[in-house]
Amino acid sequence: MRRSLAVVWRSLALACALALALAALPTGAASPPDTLVVGMDEDAVTMDPMNFRHRQTETILRNVYDGLVTRTPDMRVVPELAESWEQPDDTTWIFHLRRGVTFHDGTPFTAEDAAYSINRIVRDGAMGGQTSPRKGLLGQVTGAEVVDEYTLKIETDGPWPALLSFLPFHMMVPSETGDRMIEKPVGTGPFRFVEWQKGQRVVLARYDDYYGGSPELPPVGPAQVKRVIFQALPEPASRLAALRAGEIDIMTDVPVDQMGAVEADPNLQVLTVNGTRSFFMGMNVTKPPFDDVRVRRAVNLAVDVQAIVDGVLNGLATRTSTLLSPQAFGFDESLEAYAYDPEAARELLQEAGVGSGLSITVDTMPDNRPAAEVIAYYLEQVGIRTRIQSWGDYGAMVDAIKQGRRDAWVDSWGNATLDPSDIAEPKLRTGGRGNYSGYSNPRVDELLTLAARTTDQEARQDAYREMQAIVHEDAPMLFGWVAQDLYAVNRRIENWEPSPDSRINLHDAQER
């Protein structure tokens, strides 16, 4: 059945109205005094800071643990547990650690703890025989060792200029952890662990002996509130209802279609920040029809991506010409996105010999279904019959895609470091861990290797720019957009602002 764009928009409007009605339902009691509650779409998956690849878990645990370095809201890397650092040669980094820092059990933080933490991530089997799933986030790091009580040495197996961009992800744990997995975290951060009710919430309490955090992020000192709770509320309408009732203070992942309900409430406000997650429609380039670059380019010409940005995302996104965010290092601003040209798309499809006889299935999670519906509409206008399959479990969808028998999928990939290696290596390198399309171009692989191994920033930038031009021509995906992250916040909360890397740092937040 052919879609009408008007029907697509009406369906999206109906979903919006239903969500708003659910958000208006009565709810329970307000949050307790001197307690800040964050309503999130998912709970943590573990309390071990080295045993996950999960944004929500990192958001929670980064309030318990500090790192050697951290980021400011404008994404600058600044000192945290390290006061300074130096690089005596291409493969050696020396970090001078802050003195007077204690873990939540009162023991001092030293270089022994820092070395243990780095090695627990990068060494195979270092977690009781298990290897940290975060090992890949330390790239070429081979290990760390103690120079003296407050000096740490980190070594890499070659030049790795992106090290500082990746270090903010990694948290420092006590060396006495040994081979154990961590179930009750003990960090050096502004809040100490109280309890974890799995699937429901994580409760933290202020650590009164906190050293104060990075001097680059004033005020320096203990946290402002006594207690914080991260509450799992998977349904957006439930999160919004809880926010309006005062049960939570900060709501994450506000759907665009619920912004109106937030803005209509005088007690609430919407805070936005440029996100670092790129959205796209991946295509399986290992089988017909997307093994033909003409078909992939036709898809990019057939879909009016700007209409999705304006209509589905309410303009709260930036269209991208490839996979990279315009904020990323080495982004090529001269590379223009594919123009919306359905006639040129039809000609390419004819040239490829698929004409109007093409049928595909597009996989999607529910959050991305509105965009998938509009993409399907545009593909059908050029003769590509499109069926949408919505999945309830992201892992199951990815498993199916990895088997290589799916056609296309609407998806996203984060790039919180804004270093291209963070997204291009997994998504575009031959055999990359997130390269579900099966894309492979030897020159792209060469350029990624060159950029990863040189400390010459101009050479890195040139390599990434050439890589973008090649990928733009190869079109292994329908290039999409980088969306803004939306948060709804009770106006009584002060001194908190969202961060592009999705972290929710509550050290400075307070109630009015």
Side-chain angles (χ1 to χ4, degrees), residues 7-25 236-238 240 244 251 254-264 311-314 366-367 369-370:
V7 169
V8 172
W9 291 126
R10 280 201 300 272
S11 298
L12 299 179
L14 179 61
C16 172
L18 178 59
L20 294 178
L22 289 171
L25 292 174
S238 299
L240 179 55
R244 297 179 73 177
M251 169 185 175
V254 179
V256 170
D257 59 17
Q258 295 190 21
M259 283 184 62
V262 176
E263 292 171 337
V312 177
L313 303 171
N314 202 25
D367 286 351
R369 178 146 191 144

Side-chain angles (χ1 to χ4, degrees), residues 104-155:
H104 299 157
D105 62 2
T107 58
F109 166 74
T110 68
E112 184 178 353
D113 303 302
Y116 168 79
S117 299
I118 296 296
N119 290 330
R120 190 171 189 258
I121 297 168
V122 302
R123 291 184 177 171
D124 291 340
M127 300 191 308
Q130 179 179 332
T131 300
S132 171
R134 300 176 74 74
K135 180 179 179 179
L137 290 174
L138 274 180
Q140 284 79 46
V141 171
T142 55
E145 62 181 78
V146 175
V147 176
D148 62 38
E149 190 172 9
Y150 293 103
T151 307
L152 172 75
K153 180 165 73 174
I154 294 179
E155 294 188 299

